[in-house]
Amino acid sequence: MKAMTKIEVVVGEDGYMSIKAEGHTESVVCASVSTLLQSSVRYLQELSEQYPEALQVIVKDKPCL
């Protein structure tokens, strides 16, 4: 199977979203996806520092097997 970056978005009935990204390719597409997702997380982390009573961002390390 060809290497691919996959993005899964699940939208619940209430409108809330879950976004999952996995995979990797050596391409501008993968770099673009990484940049967008990492920038979004960093922005949310900064926002949570400004408004800790309204926003909590949890980043978990993936355990090594």
Side-chain angles (χ1 to χ4, degrees), residues 1-19:
M1 179 182 246
K2 189 175 175 181
M4 178 183 288
T5 302
K6 295 181 182 181
I7 308 296
E8 177 181 271
V9 179
V10 178
V11 181
E13 290 180 14
D14 55 7
Y16 286 100
M17 272 186 213
S18 170
I19 301 172

Side-chain angles (χ1 to χ4, degrees), residues 2-5 23-31:
K2 189 175 175 181
M4 178 183 288
T5 302
H24 177 69
T25 57
E26 297 292 333
S27 72
V28 68
V29 171
C30 190

Side-chain angles (χ1 to χ4, degrees), residues 36-62:
L36 286 169
L37 291 175
Q38 290 179 43
S39 295
S40 296
V41 169
R42 296 289 184 229
Y43 175 76
L44 290 169
Q45 287 175 315
E46 291 290 324
L47 198 59
S48 72
E49 289 179 12
Q50 293 177 32
Y51 302 97
E53 69 286 346
L55 178 62
Q56 180 181 31
V57 177
I58 299 170
V59 178
K60 297 180 181 180
D61 290 327
K62 184 176 180 180

